[in-house]
């Protein structure tokens, strides 16, 4: 199956899911996850209308961003404090902000580099943080306080990697988004759902679906 055919299949699934949920298909972003994919294939996807790509590793994403300055790369994977500077320099957004000390480091560096980088808070409502990263709901106030409404790090939304086969997790995330929007007075987006569960994610209100292998094909390790 060609890249264009895989993309059309995914778009058709998103359209059907949105129709079933009474949503506008244009309200759901399909974010290709391009880790371990060659730049040539990413450029092929760009020619088909995609300008934003998710990456899991700072160095790999930074190399691709340097080689393709016309594209925007989004950091999805865990971020260590010692890699915060290249992350801010090369990524258009950071979706894996998950602890106060990282927020403080990013704020300091964003001021030093004079850059503005939207951030998403990666949340973990299921005790999976040791494996995948993420901020527990009880720790969100401390993280938000560390972020401090800094205009250099505008908060765009919440990202999560729920446990497999747990559709209720999407409803939990949607509820958390609603509570935070009211508390903060901000419109927040939700990035949740992958190829196996995008229909449930769209039904619950996801604004962004992250797709890797089902978009690009098998990764080249």
């Amino acid at each position: 199956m060609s890249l264009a055919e895989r993309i059309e299949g995914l778009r058709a699934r998103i359209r059907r899911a949105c129709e079933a949920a009474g949503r506008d298909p244009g309200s759901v972003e399909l974010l290709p996850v391009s880790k371990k994919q060659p730049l040539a294939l990413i450029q092929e996807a760009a020619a088909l209308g995609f300008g934003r790509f998710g990456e899991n590793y700072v160095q790999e994403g930074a190399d691709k961003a340097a080689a393709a300055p016309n594209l925007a790369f989004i950091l999805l994977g865990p971020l260590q404090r010692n890699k915060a500077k290249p992350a801010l320099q090369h990524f258009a957004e950071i979706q894996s902000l998950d602890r106060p000390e990282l927020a403080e480091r990013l704020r300091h560096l964003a001021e030093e580099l004079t850059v503005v980088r939207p951030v998403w808070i990666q949340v973990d409502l299921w005790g999976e943080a040791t494996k995948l990263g993420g901020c527990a709901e009880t720790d969100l106030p401390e993280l938000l306080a560390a972020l401090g409404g800094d205009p250099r790090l505008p908060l765009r939304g919440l990202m999560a990697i729920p446990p497999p086969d747990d559709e209720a997790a999407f409803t939990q995330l949607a509820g958390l988004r609603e509570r935070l929007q009211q508390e903060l007075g901000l419109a927040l987006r939700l990035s949740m759902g992958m190829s196996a569960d995008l229909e449930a994610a769209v039904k619950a209100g996801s604004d962004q679906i992250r797709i890797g292998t089902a978009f690009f094909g098998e990764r080249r390790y």
Side-chain angles (χ1 to χ4, degrees):
M1 186 182 294
S2 70
L3 178 62
E5 289 169 332
R6 285 193 295 271
I7 290 171
E8 182 47 44
L10 289 166
R11 283 177 164 159
R13 285 179 63 189
I14 290 171
R15 281 197 301 272
R16 290 193 295 269
C18 285
E19 288 165 5
R23 298 182 60 189
D24 174 7
S27 68
V28 179
E29 177 188 10
L30 171 55
L31 181 69
V33 179
S34 51
K35 71 175 181 182
K36 303 300 180 185
Q37 298 292 355
L39 191 59
L41 193 56
I42 294 169
Q43 293 285 21
E44 187 181 339
L48 293 170
F50 290 84
R52 289 159 48 85
F53 297 87
E55 287 285 335
N56 284 58
Y57 308 110
V58 172
Q59 188 59 57
E60 181 185 351
D63 291 344
K64 288 174 178 175
N70 58 313
L71 302 177
F73 291 88
I74 316 301
L75 182 62
L76 304 176
L79 177 58
Q80 302 303 316
R81 290 178 74 254
N82 63 351
K83 294 187 178 179
K85 189 169 186 176
L88 285 175
Q89 289 171 316
H90 295 285
F91 289 89
E93 291 182 7
I94 293 172
Q95 286 202 4
S96 48
L97 175 60
D98 62 357
R99 57 200 189 280
E101 58 269 27
L102 178 58
E104 291 164 0
R105 177 68 173 156
L106 289 171
R107 287 182 68 181
H108 172 76
L109 288 167
E111 182 177 9
E112 175 187 310
L113 297 168
T114 63
V115 296
V116 175
R117 294 290 184 266
V119 296
W120 301 53
I121 293 176
Q122 181 179 349
V123 295
D124 170 36
L125 308 183
W126 317 279
E128 305 261 300
T130 52
K131 292 187 291 182
L132 304 168
C135 180
E137 185 172 359
T138 52
D139 297 330
L140 276 172
E142 185 181 359
L143 174 51
L144 289 165
L147 196 55
D150 194 319
R152 295 190 189 277
L153 299 174
L155 179 59
R156 286 288 182 262
L158 304 176
M159 185 271 273
I161 307 170
D165 305 315
D166 184 0
E167 290 190 13
F170 296 130
T171 306
Q172 286 180 277
L173 285 161
L176 176 60
R177 190 251 300 263
E178 289 303 317
R179 293 193 295 277
L180 282 179
Q181 286 189 142
Q182 292 188 15
E183 290 174 18
L184 302 175
L186 288 175
L188 298 174
R189 300 181 71 206
L190 268 182
S191 176
M192 60 183 190
M194 302 181 192
S195 59
D197 51 20
L198 71 83
E199 287 82 6
V202 168
K203 181 180 179 181
S206 184
D207 302 293
Q208 183 185 83
I209 306 296
R210 307 183 306 273
I211 308 288
T213 303
F215 185 101
F216 284 109
E218 291 300 321
R219 294 191 174 93
R220 326 291 175 79
Y221 290 102

